[in-house]
Amino acid sequence: MSIFPNPSPQGPIPPSTPPQGAPPPYTPPAQYPAPPQYVVAAPSNGGGWKIGVLFAAVVLAIGGCVYLYMQLDKTKADLVKTNDALQARIDKLEEATSVTTRSNRKTVDELREQLERARRQANAMVGEAKQEALKKVDDTRAQLEAAQEQNKQQLKSDISQVREQTDTANKQISQVGNDVTAVRTDLTSTKGELEKTVADLKRATGEIDGHSVMIATNGKELAALRALGERNFVEFTIHKSKQAQKVGDVSILLKNADPKKNRYTIELTADDRTTEKKDRTANEPVQFMTSKAKQPYELIVNDVKKDTIAGYLSVPKVQNVRN
């Protein structure tokens, strides 16, 4: 029989007869309702082991409660220690945070002060730069005005000088015009004289090409030939000697000079070849060819003296290599 009350009793349960020697059942006061009645069955034979098991279970339950209480107390103690450690760390963190906050606040204040100081300095520098720029502009304007005034004065002076120089140049041009007219007149006269002189030049037949050759017998006629510009002329005076004398690009060695007969004999060297020109007369053209020109060279002796001859060498202007 169960020791727990019947969960669904059917009507009132009649009171059971208590066992012998059992105390009388508890009767509650009248003002409280009657508690439920439990019927305890009389122990039957062979039920002692159940009581032992129940007692052991109760003991185990009590021991478990004691162990749980001890574990709970230990856990509570650990929680207290952990809470204290956490509180200490929180205090340290708060202290460190406070120090860091104060340091950061100080740094921010310093930076703010530096920024303000830099802003004031920048404003001051801007003001100074502006003043300096304005002063520089004024100085530049003054220099520009001075330079313009100086250039204006210089321009006036230059214009005056140019006018004076122009007047002088006009006078000089007028004078040059007069001189040109005079020179032109002289040139015309000189040209006429030159043409007359050229017309009066003696002519001789060349011994190589058979053409008529104009011969100058004095300095004036030689100047007329030079003025024609057709050939180059090299004047020479050669004395009798054992060494040949260089005339232009040829060499001449005087062998004999006879002033009475107005004749002479020479050795002419051209292109490393020596040729004797014997018993030549004055103003006689002596023609010879060289490798440097297609036209012949002309040697003219105008004056024959004792042991001396004088004249000129006529050289073509066009110097080519003959085929």
Side-chain angles (χ1 to χ4, degrees):
M1 181 177 295
S2 176
I3 62 174
F4 298 99
N6 189 2
S8 56
Q10 299 293 331
I13 299 175
S16 61
T17 304
Q20 295 179 358
Y26 175 75
T27 301
Q31 64 269 20
Y32 297 103
Q37 298 292 324
Y38 297 94
V39 178
V40 180
S44 60
N45 295 330
W49 64 275
K50 293 183 180 180
I51 296 174
V53 171
L54 181 61
F55 181 77
V58 171
V59 171
L60 289 175
I62 293 172
C65 291
V66 172
Y67 176 76
L68 290 175
Y69 176 79
M70 293 176 64
Q71 290 295 325
L72 181 61
D73 187 64
K74 183 178 179 181
T75 302
K76 186 183 295 184
D78 293 339
L79 288 175
V80 171
K81 291 181 180 179
T82 303
N83 189 21
D84 293 340
L86 290 176
Q87 187 64 37
R89 292 186 61 182
I90 291 171
D91 294 339
K92 290 182 179 180
L93 288 174
E94 289 180 352
E95 183 179 359
T97 303
S98 178
V99 173
T100 304
T101 303
R102 288 195 299 271
S103 177
N104 291 337
R105 186 179 294 110
K106 182 178 180 182
T107 303
V108 169
D109 293 339
E110 292 178 354
L111 291 175
R112 187 175 298 165
E113 184 179 356
Q114 292 177 4
L115 179 61
E116 185 65 25
R117 185 165 55 251
R119 185 181 291 110
R120 290 195 299 270
Q121 291 177 356
N123 293 332
M125 292 177 64
V126 168
E128 293 177 359
K130 183 177 180 180
Q131 294 297 329
E132 185 176 355
L134 292 176
K135 182 179 179 182
K136 190 171 183 179
V137 168
D138 294 337
D139 294 341
T140 304
R141 184 184 295 111
Q143 293 176 1
L144 180 61
E145 292 176 355
Q148 288 176 347
E149 183 65 24
Q150 184 178 0
N151 290 335
K152 188 183 295 183
Q153 297 296 330
Q154 184 67 31
L155 182 60
K156 290 181 179 179
S157 176
D158 293 342
I159 291 174
S160 299
Q161 292 180 1
V162 169
R163 286 177 179 174
E164 293 177 358
Q165 292 175 0
T166 302
D167 295 339
T168 304
N170 290 332
K171 294 179 181 178
Q172 292 178 353
I173 289 172
S174 178
Q175 183 66 30
V176 169
N178 296 332
D179 294 342
V180 168
T181 302
V183 169
R184 187 175 298 167
T185 303
D186 294 341
L187 182 60
T188 302
S189 176
T190 302
K191 184 177 181 182
E193 293 179 0
L194 179 60
E195 291 176 352
K196 182 179 179 181
T197 302
V198 171
D200 293 340
L201 286 174
K202 293 182 179 181
R203 293 181 177 271
T205 302
E207 59 182 344
I208 293 181
D209 55 7
H211 291 87
S212 176
V213 178
M214 290 185 294
I215 300 172
T217 60
N218 52 46
K220 182 178 179 181
E221 294 176 350
L222 184 60
L225 288 178
R226 279 198 177 98
L228 293 177
E230 297 177 355
R231 299 172 72 92
N232 295 324
F233 298 91
V234 182
E235 297 183 70
F236 63 82
T237 299
I238 300 175
H239 302 281
K240 188 175 181 179
S241 174
K242 294 181 180 180
Q243 299 292 332
Q245 181 175 336
K246 194 76 173 176
V247 179
D249 54 357
V250 301
S251 298
I252 300 174
L253 177 64
L254 179 60
K255 301 290 289 184
N256 186 24
D258 188 355
K260 291 182 180 181
K261 295 181 181 181
N262 215 17
R263 289 181 175 273
Y264 64 92
T265 299
I266 61 173
E267 287 184 356
L268 180 64
T269 302
D271 295 336
D272 297 330
R273 291 181 298 179
T274 302
T275 304
E276 184 180 36
K277 304 295 182 179
K278 188 176 181 179
D279 290 335
R280 300 289 178 152
T281 60
N283 298 323
E284 176 187 354
V286 178
Q287 291 184 324
F288 60 94
M289 301 299 296
T290 67
S291 60
K292 295 183 179 180
K294 293 182 179 181
Q295 295 180 346
Y297 281 45
E298 297 173 359
L299 178 68
I300 310 296
V301 175
N302 302 126
D303 190 12
V304 179
K305 295 180 180 179
K306 185 179 179 180
D307 299 331
T308 303
I309 58 175
Y312 64 90
L313 177 66
S314 175
V315 180
K317 282 191 172 183
V318 179
Q319 299 284 321
N320 294 324
V321 177
R322 292 187 298 126
N323 294 331

